[in-house]
Amino acid sequence: MKAEQQLAGVGIALMGVLVLSPDALLIRLIDTDRATLLFWRSLLQGLTLWAFLGLYYRSALPRVVRAMGWIGIPAAFVFGLTAILFVLSITLTNAANTLFMMATSPLWAALISWLFLGERVALRTWLAIFSALIGIVIIFSGGIGDGTLIGDLIGLAAALSLASQLTIVRHARATTLVPALAGGVLLASILVGITFASPTAVRGDDILWLAILGVFVVPVAFGLLTLAPRYIPSPEVSLIMQLEAILGPIWVWLGVGEVPPVATFVGGAIVLVTLTVHSILGMRAYHRRSRPGPVGAAATHESVRD
């Protein structure tokens, strides 16, 4: 891997995480009901993505949409479901709890790939899943005491939904699924809008926060994080993305003074350490397999035993 390519990939991933990190704070700052918040967040994100797709592909956009085939349907569904569950969790529990849950999604993606795609799961991943579960149980224990357990459970469901999303993207790696993402979040906004939301109830500064969130933060961040794996291995992107679970709660603390309970700090630390170690081991295994010649062949044989 060329140094320039490595530097570009790391820079893109870091920029994506930095752009995404105020997401939870902006959700906290918007003073409206969660259904209306979800409606506008998803609608603006979807419209922005479709505008980008239209400018990028122009007349070829219909062909790109058709090229997704049947996989675009479940992809759109899980994209929309993830958006709904994430906002629900953020509004029902501490932001840190939700972000720690979401950070575990690569581990669940490996498990889902094993169950449905028959992909092998390395021993380090099984150990990481067990360790992350310990951290999650500790976080849940804090929710029982302060009434945020429902939000924590929805956060775990959001992580599983995101893991399904990652699995679908991996399975269809030769096809761009950005139209499915754009369609999924638009579908989520429509379903919420016609059932629970009050779109005209947004007032004052909330309009500005929603615009920043839906037009800039979410679309730009996910665009950058989707682009980063083209330059650096996925384990490196996953490692960099753990920064969101650190930066996000800091922004919420600075912005609205939200301090998570002790159980969140303890469980979250276990989750972050687990994910960091897992990502580092994943990067080492990737680089061993990438070495040319006999060393690379031996490394590939060795990675089978990981």
Side-chain angles (χ1 to χ4, degrees), residues 9-302:
V10 171
I12 291 171
L14 280 174
M15 184 60 66
V17 170
L18 290 174
V19 171
L20 186 61
S21 62
D23 188 8
L25 172 60
L26 290 169
I27 291 175
R28 281 283 189 271
L29 290 174
I30 297 170
D31 186 20
T32 187
D33 63 278
R34 61 178 63 94
T36 301
L37 164 62
L38 178 58
F39 168 80
W40 281 112
R41 180 182 186 270
S42 299
L43 178 66
L44 292 172
Q45 178 187 357
L47 292 177
T48 301
L49 287 171
W50 279 118
F52 168 78
L53 288 169
L55 290 172
Y56 186 80
Y57 290 107
R58 299 182 182 275
S59 61
L61 181 57
R63 177 173 54 82
V64 173
V65 174
R66 289 194 301 269
M68 292 190 300
W70 69 269
I71 199 69
I73 298 175
F77 174 79
V78 295
F79 287 149
L81 181 62
T82 302
I84 292 173
L85 293 174
F86 176 76
V87 171
L88 286 176
S89 179
I90 283 284
T91 56
L92 289 171
T93 188
N94 298 294
N97 291 28
T98 301
L99 293 173
F100 286 138
M101 296 295 172
M102 296 297 287
T104 63
S105 56
L107 300 179
W108 310 128
L111 189 60
I112 293 171
S113 295
W114 171 66
L115 289 172
F116 293 98
L117 301 181
E119 295 185 357
R120 177 185 166 276
V121 178
L123 176 60
R124 64 176 178 274
T125 302
W126 287 115
L127 295 175
I129 290 173
F130 177 76
S131 179
L133 281 173
I134 294 175
I136 289 172
V137 168
I138 294 174
I139 294 173
F140 279 177
S141 69
I144 296 174
D146 61 15
T148 60
L149 181 59
I150 295 298
D152 294 343
L153 290 171
I154 295 175
L156 181 58
L160 293 172
S161 181
L162 178 57
S164 301
Q165 177 179 322
L166 295 173
T167 304
I168 292 173
V169 171
R170 175 178 171 82
H171 180 65
R173 61 173 65 90
T175 305
T176 177
L177 293 179
V178 177
L181 170 59
V185 292
L186 273 184
L187 178 62
S189 71
I190 293 171
L191 291 177
V192 173
I194 63 177
T195 52
F196 303 108
S198 303
T200 59
V202 180
R203 294 288 186 274
D205 292 341
D206 293 341
I207 298 175
L208 174 62
W209 301 135
L210 279 168
I212 294 173
L213 183 63
V215 177
F216 177 71
V217 170
V218 179
V220 172
F222 279 105
L224 291 170
L225 292 171
T226 301
L227 181 62
R230 297 186 180 183
Y231 297 90
I232 57 177
S234 294
E236 292 190 37
V237 178
S238 297
L239 179 60
I240 294 171
M241 286 185 66
Q242 306 318 315
L243 288 173
E244 187 198 0
I246 299 173
L247 295 175
I250 292 175
W251 286 124
V252 174
W253 169 60
L254 292 174
V256 298
E258 180 179 293
V259 181
V262 175
T264 297
F265 284 109
V266 176
I270 293 174
V271 168
L272 289 181
V273 170
T274 297
L275 293 170
T276 299
V277 172
H278 181 263
S279 296
I280 291 173
L281 292 176
M283 284 189 295
R284 291 178 61 186
Y286 173 86
H287 289 302
R288 286 200 305 267
R289 291 193 299 269
S290 300
R291 292 173 187 168
V295 175
T300 302
H301 178 71
E302 181 184 349

